[in-house]
Amino acid sequence: MNKKAKAWLITGVAAVAVIGGGGYYLANSYLGNNVEIEQVLPASAATSTTTVDSTGTAVANETAGAEQLNGDWNISEGSKVYFSVTTSQETVNFVDEQVTGNWTINVDDAAQMKAEGQIEMDGIDSGNGQRDGHVKQADFFDIATYPQATFTATSFEGVPAEWPVGQTVDIKMNGTITVKGIEKEVTFDAKAAYENNEVLLSATSMVTFEDFGMENPHSVVLSTENDIQVQLELKLSK
């Protein structure tokens, strides 16, 4: 190999290294996680229904029943909805704080319970404006045509008649998520608590890009799994 050809080869290898490294840096910056999920449930909340006093005797906790829980509730300030996707490097979270909706709770008859909520898709935020702008375009959420996503609960399971105040109860919510005009039946595994005249709810479910006519993003540098975790962190007030 003559010197000129060797020089061109070395230059080419260097260019590939620089472009590849730069592409990796840009993709990592573009896809990196900037949002931490904040749960509305108190950190001390537990599912136990009793506490132990100084003598070691089990004492029943204060409970909330039909009088406190039954009725109409509104999704209030501080509520958030998260979407999480897993890339080949890490999990990336998106948050939307523009959440509204109404709930009817009936601990005496779960069949009478109902819930609906919606988010403004323009409120989706991952802490990266370029990325957020991309996912709002037509090939993903197409917010110009579909400015809202909704959830409607169709049934509830495991709702106890009484809730220990400040502690969690486990329930399931079955319903329908609608994104881009496409409906998907889902089940949310949820923990709920009654505290300071509020109902706090943390619930998760899994959907996919494919469920809503989208393709999971991928590139030569990073790829994204098809699954999308949906997490509701809701505060309800009367």
Side-chain angles (χ1 to χ4, degrees):
M1 180 181 296
N2 60 41
K3 291 183 178 180
K4 186 175 181 179
K6 187 175 182 179
W8 275 110
L9 178 60
I10 294 173
T11 302
V13 170
V16 169
V18 170
I19 292 171
Y24 180 87
Y25 172 80
L26 290 173
N28 189 48
S29 175
Y30 184 72
L31 294 175
N33 183 53
N34 301 307
V35 172
E36 297 301 323
I37 295 177
E38 299 176 356
Q39 292 196 341
V40 296
L41 295 173
S44 59
T47 56
S48 172
T49 59
T50 60
T51 55
V52 178
D53 64 17
S54 59
T55 66
T57 303
V59 180
N61 291 320
E62 178 186 358
T63 59
E67 182 178 353
Q68 295 88 0
L69 295 168
N70 287 359
D72 296 327
W73 298 77
N74 298 312
I75 296 176
S76 59
E77 185 177 355
S79 297
K80 300 176 182 179
V81 173
Y82 294 91
F83 303 95
S84 300
V85 297
T86 300
T87 73
S88 52
Q89 286 200 345
E90 63 185 326
T91 296
V92 177
N93 302 319
F94 296 76
V95 63
D96 196 322
E97 300 184 34
Q98 297 182 33
V99 191
T100 56
N102 304 287
W103 286 57
T104 298
I105 296 177
N106 190 325
V107 295
D108 300 314
D109 184 4
Q112 301 300 315
M113 291 180 60
K114 57 185 179 180
E116 59 181 12
Q118 62 185 24
I119 60 172
E120 302 299 324
M121 299 298 282
D122 188 51
I124 293 175
D125 180 16
S126 69
N128 184 309
Q130 185 179 7
R131 173 171 55 199
D132 297 340
H134 181 62
V135 301
K136 294 174 185 179
Q137 292 176 0
D139 52 343
F140 285 101
F141 289 124
D142 192 9
I143 70 168
T145 306
Y146 305 99
Q148 297 173 336
T150 64
F151 169 71
T152 302
T154 55
S155 65
F156 292 80
E157 301 174 22
V159 180
E162 293 186 335
W163 300 9
V165 173
Q167 297 184 355
T168 63
V169 296
D170 294 324
I171 63 176
K172 285 185 180 293
M173 297 189 301
N174 304 306
T176 303
I177 290 177
T178 303
V179 177
K180 297 181 70 176
I182 302 171
E183 296 182 351
K184 168 65 177 176
E185 292 185 0
V186 295
T187 295
F188 278 94
D189 293 312
K191 290 184 179 295
Y194 177 80
E195 186 174 68
N196 299 324
N197 300 317
E198 285 186 315
V199 170
L200 308 175
L201 183 93
S202 179
T204 59
S205 187
M206 194 74 72
V207 296
T208 68
F209 283 95
E210 187 178 12
D211 287 335
F212 303 104
M214 298 180 287
E215 292 187 7
N216 48 311
H218 57 274
S219 70
V220 295
V221 179
L222 291 174
S223 60
T224 303
E225 294 180 5
N226 192 34
D227 291 338
I228 304 173
Q229 178 176 283
V230 181
Q231 183 160 337
L232 313 179
E233 296 293 334
L234 305 181
K235 296 184 177 182
L236 309 179
S237 59
K238 283 188 174 179

